[in-house]
Amino acid sequence: MGKVRKQMKLLFKQRLFSWFDSYDIYDEGGNTVFTVEGQLSWGHCLHILDARGEHIATVQERVLTLLPKFELYAYGEYLGCLKKELTFLKPQFTIDCSDWTVDGSFMEWDYTISSASRGHVATVGKELFHWTDTYVIDVADPSNALCALMIVLAIDAEKCSRQ
């Protein structure tokens, strides 16, 4: 019998009182899985820490680009660049290191992350009526949770830059 992969759900909540972008990411049981801390820089720079508080990833905005771009790093390695595509009505992003695409809804609250070769990767939904930005990330394969989180952080930072 083959292995059954369990879907993973993450709750992404921005901290209410923080000088820089700060987020706590919880699993369905309310346990902290990741924390995210912003760093003062030109463009967004977000450091992702694991549950033990160790730095594991970075999302760094490239500045002075025509369309928004974010460099993704995990465990000291450059993974690739998330780039916003020129589209009308619905946002779309591509990742140059994989066949993943990110398609957003008209209101920019819901996103679907898909792989051309493997299908559904994750869905992201913004929960309304909260004091801070709150997203639910449903990841089909838990091994993709960190990459899905980095994508959500980059999209949130891009939206923040526009506002």
Side-chain angles (χ1 to χ4, degrees):
M1 234 181 192
K3 260 188 183 178
V4 176
R5 288 189 284 184
K6 185 178 188 296
Q7 189 167 356
M8 180 178 206
K9 184 178 284 201
L10 298 173
L11 181 64
F12 169 111
K13 288 185 86 162
Q14 184 175 27
R15 292 184 192 151
L16 185 56
F17 299 107
S18 66
W19 290 103
F20 303 108
D21 297 322
S22 296
Y23 307 91
D24 294 308
I25 294 46
Y26 305 97
D27 63 13
E28 292 177 272
N31 303 303
T32 301
V33 180
F34 304 106
T35 54
V36 180
E37 297 177 356
Q39 174 183 325
L40 181 62
S41 69
W42 199 26
H44 291 270
C45 183
L46 304 167
H47 296 285
I48 302 169
L49 311 174
D50 64 13
R52 296 182 312 257
E54 296 190 27
H55 179 266
I56 58 170
T58 301
V59 175
Q60 174 70 55
E61 182 178 14
R62 283 190 194 167
V63 292
L64 303 175
T65 60
L66 181 61
L67 293 170
K69 294 180 181 180
F70 293 84
E71 294 178 339
L72 309 176
Y73 300 87
Y75 303 102
E77 299 285 325
Y78 175 73
L79 298 180
C81 184
L82 177 77
K83 176 181 144 192
K84 185 170 187 180
E85 298 296 328
L86 182 61
T87 58
F88 299 100
L89 300 178
K90 294 181 178 182
Q92 183 178 41
F93 297 83
T94 56
I95 304 145
D96 66 2
C97 60
S98 71
D99 66 349
W100 289 13
T101 58
V102 182
D103 295 300
S105 66
F106 174 72
M107 296 297 290
E108 299 186 48
W109 290 336
D110 301 306
Y111 292 85
T112 302
I113 304 171
S114 304
S115 165
S117 61
R118 291 179 284 169
H120 173 76
V121 175
T123 55
V124 181
K126 183 171 184 174
E127 291 190 342
L128 303 177
F129 310 113
H130 289 275
W131 287 101
T132 61
D133 286 342
T134 302
Y135 296 92
V136 174
I137 308 168
D138 284 308
V139 185
D141 180 351
S143 68
N144 292 324
L146 180 59
C147 287
L149 173 62
M150 290 193 294
I151 290 167
V152 174
L153 288 166
I155 291 170
D156 189 63
E158 187 274 330
K159 286 170 43 178
C160 182
S161 293
R162 278 189 282 135
Q163 299 168 356

